[in-house]
Amino acid sequence: MKKCLVTGGAGFIGSNLVDELIERGDEVIVLDNLSTGKRENVNPKAKFCKVDLRNMDEIRHLFNGVDYVFHEAALARVQPSIEDPITYHDHNVNSVLNVLVAAKDAGVKKVVYAASSSVYGDQEKMPLTEDMPAMPISPYALQKYIGEEYCRLFSYVYKLPTVCLRYFNVFGPNMATEGAYASVVAIFGSQRKNNQPLTIVGDGEQLRTYTFVKDIARANLLAAESDISDGRAINAGQSNEYSVNQIAEMIGGPTINIEPRIEPRRNLCGNALAKELLGWEPRVKLEDWIPEYKKELGIDG
Ligand code: NAD
């Protein structure tokens, strides 16, 4: 049995990871300020601490005796970071630094950092592979990249074992269905449920890789127990892609097109390194899960 600390464990990905850790018999502590997360997402078998990671005095002692830290907390969306880069920086960069210092001081065995495919920006070549240079095109993407660099630095300078997993558009249970934090799958699901047209950004031909949240949880467990300890970034995503129009078709119902945004046209994941270093491969495809999701929302056809 390991003692694990999950930041952002009341959020979408963190709560699924907590469930996975509890299921295998680990002791779990969740640190979350509930800014976007929900208390009811947290597994009742986990210890919940409502704290803000920007406040070192509140969090430092909670790392004592912890084996693995999974740093999932962040303000996790691209568009709102463009509106408010200062608040985003405060949460996304200062929290990583505090978590790494607290983990180092407590002698934690490994920190696994939730990184993002957004660090690649708009690359010419596909699939995206870890040898490509980072090219962030939003405050959020740059902040997530700074987090990766902090992990690498802490491994190099302080010998704190770290590893970064770059997620690609995660879907599954507990994903936010409304507001600026919702993903396109959840927005379309909620619009269809409320008999509203699905709002397709631009021409809807932008392509994205979508990855099931339970596959992401499994990647985290493998990363924690792997030999990787130098802060390197590894892609964690499916190796297929869908256009926004295809997703609208899967959800069904009428659509309207809205203003385009600054966003990459494609983000196809190259996941060979995750297979080689972690023995990880995603198992669930978006089209396998959509029927279950529609059933849950009470949507027919
Ligand atoms: P989420 O918003 O559902 O969860 C983030 C959690 O962090 C929330 O519970 C929130 O309350 C908490 N939080 C935020 N700031 C905090 C702070 N200062 N102190 C304490 N808690 C704080 O987001 P998610 O989709 O589950 O994302 C989890 C991680 O994965 C994030 O780091 C995100 O950048 C990364 N990521 C997500 C995706 C995706 O498709 N969802 C893709 C790439 C990377």
Side-chain angles (χ1 to χ4, degrees):
M1 184 175 95
K2 295 280 191 282
K3 186 169 175 184
C4 299
L5 184 152
V6 181
T7 72
F12 163 42
I13 298 172
S15 62
N16 280 280
L17 173 58
V18 169
D19 290 346
E20 201 79 19
L21 292 166
I22 298 271
E23 204 164 292
R24 72 168 194 182
D26 287 353
E27 180 187 343
V28 181
I29 312 174
V30 168
L31 273 52
D32 201 298
N33 66 356
L34 301 182
S35 55
T36 59
K38 293 190 186 133
R39 182 69 181 86
E40 60 267 29
N41 283 349
V42 182
N43 190 306
K45 291 190 179 145
K47 176 179 168 190
F48 177 71
C49 305
K50 186 171 186 280
V51 289
D52 195 305
L53 298 170
R54 294 170 299 170
N55 186 346
M56 193 58 163
D57 292 339
E58 269 185 32
I59 66 165
R60 192 190 284 277
H61 66 284
L62 298 167
F63 287 69
N64 291 335
V66 167
D67 295 298
Y68 299 137
V69 169
F70 299 91
H71 182 48
E72 303 298 316
L75 293 184
R77 292 296 175 266
V78 171
Q79 293 305 321
S81 81
I82 295 171
E83 313 295 320
D84 186 2
I86 293 178
T87 304
Y88 265 69
H89 184 97
D90 195 19
H91 282 270
N92 291 348
V93 178
N94 296 335
S95 295
V96 180
L97 181 58
N98 284 351
V99 165
L100 290 170
V101 170
K104 164 183 81 66
D105 291 350
V108 160
K109 291 199 182 80
K110 182 147 336 152
V111 176
V112 183
Y113 170 67
S116 165
S117 63
S118 63
V119 303
Y120 289 111
D122 210 358
Q123 304 274 345
E124 292 274 304
K125 277 201 200 150
M126 292 291 148
L128 299 168
T129 51
E130 296 83 347
D131 54 357
M132 292 176 172
M135 208 176 64
I137 56 169
S138 70
Y140 167 76
L142 176 61
Q143 291 151 12
K144 294 304 289 182
Y145 184 56
I146 295 171
E148 286 187 7
E149 285 294 296
Y150 260 129
C151 288
R152 191 190 55 75
L153 183 86
F154 268 65
S155 292
Y156 187 78
V157 175
Y158 303 106
K159 310 298 173 218
L160 172 70
T162 67
V163 56
C164 306
L165 294 175
R166 289 179 178 166
Y167 305 160
F168 285 67
N169 300 293
V170 186
F171 67 90
N174 292 355
M175 64 186 173
T177 50
E178 10 178 272
Y181 296 93
S183 76
V184 66
V185 179
I187 292 171
F188 285 175
S190 150
Q191 288 172 332
R192 173 81 201 275
K193 189 181 171 186
N194 296 312
N195 296 318
Q196 294 161 346
L198 314 187
T199 47
I200 294 177
V201 173
D203 64 5
E205 284 306 304
Q206 58 278 47
L207 294 163
R208 297 279 176 274
T209 294
Y210 294 87
T211 315
F212 190 49
V213 69
K214 298 211 184 291
D215 282 327
I216 291 295
R218 195 164 40 83
N220 272 271
L221 307 194
L222 290 167
E225 273 158 14
S226 71
D227 296 335
I228 312 299
S229 59
D230 58 0
R232 83 179 62 182
I234 302 172
N235 288 346
Q238 272 282 4
S239 54
N240 53 10
E241 58 189 345
Y242 307 82
S243 70
V244 172
N245 290 328
Q246 282 174 305
I247 299 202
E249 230 167 87
M250 286 187 216
I251 298 286
T255 60
I256 49 164
N257 293 75
I258 59 171
E259 278 294 288
R261 310 170 171 150
I262 304 174
E263 59 177 350
R265 292 295 288 173
R266 294 180 72 186
N267 84 337
L268 179 61
C269 177
N271 58 18
L273 193 66
K275 189 173 180 188
E276 183 193 325
L277 298 181
L278 308 178
W280 178 81
E281 274 184 290
R283 292 174 184 158
V284 178
K285 294 196 176 109
L286 183 60
E287 63 266 34
D288 301 334
W289 184 74
I290 290 280
E292 190 185 312
Y293 181 48
K294 287 169 81 168
K295 214 169 173 188
E296 192 188 301
L297 292 175
I299 297 170
D300 293 325

